[in-house]
Amino acid sequence: MTEINDMTPGVAGLQTRLVIETITQVVPGAEIVEIVASLDESISGFDAESWAAPGTEHALVHIRKRVVGILGVQNAISSFSCVVSGVAWGVLVEPIALQDGAVIGALVVARQGRVWSSRERALTRAFGGLLSHTVTLASRESALLDQRRLDELVGMVAERLMSASSRNRQDVLTWTTRVLAEFLGADVAFLRRNDHQRGLSILEAEWPPRDIPRPDPLGEVPFDADPVFAATKNLRKPYLAGVDGEVDYLERVEKGSGVPLVGGACVPLLLSESTWGVLGFLHFGLHKWTVEELSALQAIASMLVQLQARIDAEERTEYIALHDDLTGLPNRRSLLRELEVRLAAHRETAILFFDLDRFKVMNDFLGHASGDRVLTTIADRIRTSIRPNDFAARLGGDEFVILVGDVGSEMEVAATAYRLLGVIGEPIDFAGQEVTHTASIGIVLSTPGMKNGIELLGWADVALYAAKRQGRNQAVVFDEVLRESVSERSRTELTLREAIEGDGLRLHYQPEVDLRTGKLLAVEALVRWQHPTRGLLPASAFITVAEETGLVVDMGRWVFAEACRQLAAWRREYPDLPLVVRVNMSPAQFVISGLVEFVENCLRVHRIPGERLCIEMTEHAVLQEPEQTARILQGFQALGVEVAIDDFGTGYASFTELKHLPVNFLKLDQTFVQGINSDPSDKAIVEAIIQLGRALDLGVIAEGIECSATIDKLLELGCHRGQGYLMSVPMSPDELAPVLRAGAIEISKFRPAGKVAPALSERSL
């Protein structure tokens, strides 16, 4: 690109030399020929040009002074005679004017002692007219070239600003001030931002760089510091600073730069209805600003505002992408980015991963608005309690992470964690009612060379759940024991996935009987894993891993399909047995689309009527997505499939939800059942659930029965359906065959001899 300042016209200069040479040849005796330019006008390429015969230089200087005096004081042109060093001179002066009549100079012709003829006067006048025409053309040419230079300046700045972003913003602004300062010949160029909330004008960029004093008197300046800064607060059009009477402003600039200001100008950066800032220039001398220059600067100011608006939008978008919208804390993505930076810099870091204990119960009880209030309060407490080099983030729900820098010993980190537990545990006021929360914290310390932040978070999560298992409201450090448990879980996950995809799972079935007669009512399908090295494993050995890894969904589908296949086989083998198979479904399955369609397809493929199946679900599934769960259960009921709530009494389902759910059975949790004879509270809970079932016309099933005394109490309270090891352990289909053929379990196996079951009554269920 051609340098803008290299483009200068030369037509007028060449024309003036040609006129001088011509006059010296055609005007007899002309000894001095000079073109004098007015000091008040500036036409590019038009300047004082002169020719003088040898020995007349002294007269030339004297005559020039006279002419300049006439131009400067009287702005008039004339012919005159003068005596220089005893010699009389006749001088002709012809005006050089622009098309609009403005006189910008004069053609001067002088010779000694002779009177000018009319022909000579006419000839000089003609040359004066020629120069006026030349100057007018030069003026137009100069204006066009100046505009072209300004247009190219604006285009060059626009091109640079288009590629700017928040990352190189400062470099681009500094470059812009430098280019404008050099183009305009300004001694200083600057960009200032208006902080209307704080009432300050803030320096954003400047050229040339200063040796900045501390504090910088030009860094942040109140608008009311002096009239010039006051004028920039709501500036709407270009401002030309006059220095007279602006003493405070001059002193401030001199303190900041060491140079007294002579003149300056600034244009506003307008953003909507407010003035975002100003683009300004200082000249340590006189400078005449043109309308075209100010217009170009206004265009550049507009582009600077557009750049800032774009950067603001980018930063806002990035902020939203990296921050939690509820608490304002950094989110998981931001946390991983920060952790990656710290690990790459080999900074020792401790990760404190924590969540609130039993937060979901509180959230369901107090409502989500109150739950949000708890989360924002905890977030504010974290902000005010961590150190400047620490980093806090919210991962989602009630999960938070704090990165602690400058790690000392493990004991010091643990002490920090327990101080955090104290901060979290402070009461929160809800309209006069104080609510207190505890938390569990998992801690992991980075090791030299560790680069996988996600793996570190996973270890901290393992330590967090270890803290919960140990009773909550405490902190646990990830150690070798937990590391081995992680490895074991990974091995379990890999092998379990292979078992699901292959032929490694089995179903065992536990009978459910009439406690009064031993009649077989149903069987519950229970998954087992035929482990390649550990043998047959119960669900308790792997269900947690399945739930945490999401394998429970695929495993649940296999269980349901296999239970349907087995039920179809039993229906063919025992056509007169009205057997019902109960199949457990995890909460994770209820959030996967197409569950009702899957159940319907299994029934159709195996030709099973819906009433021969019962789906068991926990209260947690009801609470997780109550509206979606209700729709799914209604779909089951439409297929004739019954629904039972398993482990009832442990999940805090409300009576209102239970009332509106299409449910057929409640299953008493075994912890209540087994304490029915020893714990009054357990007995009261069981009795209340039985009465609830009666009120809502729901069947009640007791599980976990291990002694005959429990059966006696259940029958006394009105529950006659049950299952447990006392009657039968879960069995394979082959082992279950005798029970299926008999259609019952012999009552003497679980009722003492001579014990007679009470007669059926209205309260029996």
Side-chain angles (χ1 to χ4, degrees):
M1 178 182 291
T2 303
E3 289 293 330
I4 296 174
N5 287 327
D6 290 345
M7 299 185 300
T8 56
V11 176
L14 294 174
Q15 192 69 41
T16 55
R17 293 189 183 93
L18 180 60
V19 168
I20 288 175
E21 292 175 1
T22 303
I23 292 177
T24 59
Q25 296 174 9
V26 300
V27 177
E31 297 176 80
I32 293 175
V33 181
E34 182 168 24
I35 297 174
V36 180
S38 169
L39 295 178
D40 295 332
E41 299 290 341
S42 176
I43 301 299
S44 180
F46 177 71
D47 204 346
E49 293 284 347
S50 62
W51 170 85
T56 62
E57 289 81 1
H58 180 68
L60 170 65
V61 172
H62 180 81
I63 293 170
R64 179 187 299 146
K65 289 181 179 179
R66 288 284 304 274
V67 173
V68 170
I70 294 171
L71 290 174
V73 178
Q74 301 176 5
N75 197 24
I77 305 299
S78 65
S79 60
F80 60 90
S81 298
C82 64
V83 177
V84 181
S85 300
V87 178
W89 286 83
V91 182
L92 287 179
V93 182
E94 287 296 328
I96 301 175
L98 297 175
Q99 190 174 18
D100 60 4
V103 176
I104 65 164
L107 171 62
V108 181
V109 182
R111 63 187 177 189
Q112 298 181 31
R114 293 174 58 181
V115 178
W116 296 101
S117 67
S118 58
R119 176 181 173 278
E120 291 169 336
R121 290 178 179 275
L123 186 60
T124 302
R125 189 175 300 112
F127 279 111
L130 175 62
L131 287 174
S132 293
H133 178 69
T134 299
V135 167
T136 297
L137 293 178
S139 175
R140 293 175 181 173
E141 179 187 14
S142 176
L144 290 174
L145 289 173
D146 285 345
Q147 188 61 55
R148 177 184 171 189
R149 293 168 64 237
L150 288 170
D151 290 344
E152 292 196 4
L153 171 69
V154 172
M156 182 171 63
V157 173
E159 183 178 354
R160 184 64 183 272
L161 295 184
M162 286 177 62
S163 62
S165 66
S166 58
R167 291 176 176 80
N168 65 351
R169 171 184 180 275
Q170 191 59 51
D171 291 340
V172 170
L173 295 183
T174 301
W175 175 87
T176 301
T177 55
R178 177 182 66 81
V179 167
L180 295 179
E182 292 174 351
F183 180 89
L184 297 169
D187 294 285
V188 174
F190 57 85
L191 178 66
R192 302 190 68 90
R193 171 174 59 87
N194 289 346
D195 187 335
H196 293 282
Q197 186 173 2
R198 298 167 59 201
L200 297 175
S201 172
I202 301 173
L203 183 64
E204 290 283 321
E206 63 179 338
W207 186 266
R210 292 176 293 135
D211 292 329
I212 301 176
R214 293 290 183 269
D216 184 4
L218 298 177
E220 293 186 354
V221 181
F223 290 126
D224 57 4
D226 58 59
V228 174
F229 279 103
T232 65
K233 179 179 181 181
N234 296 305
L235 190 66
R236 307 298 294 179
K237 59 183 180 180
Y239 175 78
L240 302 179
V243 299
D244 294 337
E246 296 171 350
V247 178
D248 293 341
Y249 180 67
L250 294 176
E251 290 179 351
R252 184 178 303 280
V253 173
E254 187 170 2
K255 287 179 181 178
S257 63
V259 181
L261 174 67
V262 176
C266 60
V267 293
L269 278 67
L270 303 177
L271 181 61
S272 186
E273 298 300 320
S274 66
T275 302
W276 184 89
V278 293
L279 178 63
F281 304 89
L282 306 179
H283 288 84
F284 305 142
L286 292 175
H287 179 78
K288 184 173 182 179
W289 292 91
T290 67
V291 174
E292 291 75 19
E293 287 175 336
L294 294 176
S295 296
L297 291 177
Q298 285 179 291
I300 292 174
S302 178
M303 290 187 292
L304 287 169
V305 170
Q306 294 173 20
L307 167 64
Q308 189 59 46
R310 175 162 55 82
I311 289 177
D312 288 344
E314 291 174 357
E315 290 179 345
R316 179 60 182 166
T317 301
E318 184 174 10
Y319 179 89
I320 293 173
L322 295 176
H323 288 78
D324 170 51
D325 57 354
L326 175 63
T327 64
L329 288 176
N331 59 15
R332 180 183 180 87
R333 180 180 179 186
S334 182
L335 171 70
L336 291 175
R337 179 182 296 183
E338 176 68 18
L339 187 54
E340 180 182 354
V341 170
R342 294 188 179 215
L343 294 177
H346 304 290
R347 295 170 57 186
E348 291 187 355
T349 301
I351 300 176
L352 275 59
F353 192 149
F354 71 93
D355 69 6
L356 304 180
D357 297 328
R358 304 185 72 84
F359 175 74
K360 183 168 179 54
V361 176
M362 187 284 305
N363 201 32
D364 293 334
F365 177 71
L366 294 179
H368 293 287
S370 297
D372 289 348
R373 164 87 182 282
V374 170
L375 295 175
T376 55
T377 301
I378 296 298
D380 290 339
R381 291 178 181 178
I382 293 172
R383 283 192 191 92
T384 57
S385 62
I386 62 176
R387 301 171 303 173
N389 61 336
D390 296 338
F391 184 91
R394 179 191 178 210
L395 300 192
D398 61 329
E399 293 183 334
F400 296 85
V401 171
I402 298 177
L403 304 181
V404 180
D406 301 328
V407 176
S409 66
E410 182 179 304
M411 185 177 297
E412 290 176 353
V413 175
T416 299
Y418 278 100
R419 284 195 297 271
L420 179 62
L421 289 177
V423 171
I424 295 171
E426 295 175 1
I428 301 174
D429 183 82
F430 286 94
Q433 179 182 0
E434 289 189 343
V435 176
T436 302
H437 262 291
T438 61
S440 300
I441 301 179
I443 303 171
V444 64
L445 281 68
S446 66
T447 56
M450 184 64 176
K451 296 182 179 180
N452 192 331
I454 295 179
E455 186 174 9
L456 282 173
L457 284 176
W459 292 350
D461 190 33
V462 171
L464 164 64
Y465 281 96
K468 288 189 178 296
R469 288 193 299 270
Q470 294 180 20
R472 299 186 175 90
N473 195 30
Q474 56 184 300
V476 170
V477 179
F478 185 82
D479 56 15
E480 287 303 319
V481 174
L482 290 177
R483 188 187 304 274
E484 178 57 31
S485 72
V486 171
S487 299
E488 177 61 28
R489 191 178 75 164
S490 298
R491 290 191 292 269
T492 300
E493 177 187 351
L494 179 61
T495 312
L496 179 58
R497 189 182 301 275
E498 294 174 350
I500 295 172
E501 295 173 352
D503 188 31
L505 298 182
R506 305 287 186 269
L507 282 187
H508 281 201
Y509 300 87
Q510 185 174 30
E512 172 195 323
V513 301
D514 187 323
L515 300 178
R516 299 163 301 184
T517 64
K519 179 183 178 181
L520 183 64
L521 302 176
V523 293
E524 180 180 1
L526 300 170
V527 66
R528 298 291 185 261
W529 179 12
Q530 189 65 52
H531 195 277
T533 60
R534 298 165 60 189
L536 190 68
L537 300 180
S540 58
F542 57 88
I543 193 64
T544 300
V545 173
E547 289 174 343
E548 292 176 353
T549 58
L551 291 175
V552 70
V553 175
D554 291 336
M555 186 172 67
R557 287 179 175 257
W558 179 89
V559 167
F560 191 87
E562 174 60 19
C564 288
R565 186 200 65 77
Q566 183 62 64
L567 177 58
W570 284 334
R571 279 170 51 78
R572 291 191 296 270
E573 189 171 356
Y574 311 105
D576 298 327
L577 181 65
L579 184 67
V580 173
V581 174
R582 305 194 190 280
V583 183
N584 291 282
M585 282 193 175
S586 71
Q589 289 177 270
F590 279 84
V591 298
I592 301 299
S593 61
L595 180 58
V596 175
E597 291 77 9
F598 169 76
V599 170
E600 182 180 15
N601 183 64
C602 287
L603 295 176
R604 183 174 60 253
V605 168
H606 297 288
R607 299 179 181 179
I608 299 172
E611 58 268 17
R612 289 301 187 90
L613 278 175
C614 178
I615 292 175
E616 295 189 1
M617 55 182 290
T618 63
E619 287 179 273
H620 181 63
V622 176
L623 295 171
Q624 188 170 353
E625 294 289 345
E627 294 182 0
Q628 180 176 343
T629 301
R631 288 194 296 270
I632 293 174
L633 297 188
Q634 289 166 0
F636 291 162
Q637 294 285 4
L639 297 174
V641 177
E642 294 182 326
V643 176
I645 297 183
D646 198 12
D647 302 331
F648 188 77
T650 62
Y652 305 96
S654 71
F655 290 165
T656 301
E657 291 166 341
L658 188 60
K659 175 182 176 182
H660 295 292
L661 286 176
V663 173
N664 305 97
F665 293 94
L666 304 178
K667 294 194 73 172
L668 289 166
D669 184 75
Q670 61 180 349
T671 56
F672 302 136
V673 172
Q674 292 170 0
I676 196 172
N677 288 306
S678 59
D679 189 328
S681 296
D682 287 342
K683 175 177 177 291
I685 291 173
V686 170
E687 186 173 11
I689 294 175
I690 292 173
Q691 292 175 356
L692 175 64
R694 181 181 300 111
L696 298 179
D697 195 25
L698 303 177
V700 178
I701 306 167
E703 57 183 351
I705 300 174
E706 295 182 353
C707 66
S708 60
T710 300
I711 295 178
D712 294 338
K713 183 60 67 174
L714 288 169
L715 291 173
E716 177 186 329
L717 296 176
C719 175
H720 66 80
R721 306 179 72 114
Q723 65 185 97
Y725 279 19
L726 179 63
M727 286 81 77
S728 173
V729 298
M731 296 179 287
S732 67
D734 291 341
E735 294 170 331
L736 188 62
V739 176
L740 296 176
R741 283 194 296 270
I745 293 179
E746 190 175 333
I747 194 170
S748 61
K749 291 184 177 180
F750 59 89
R751 297 282 286 164
K755 191 76 171 180
V756 180
L760 294 174
S761 66
E762 291 296 327
R763 65 182 301 195
S764 298
L765 297 173

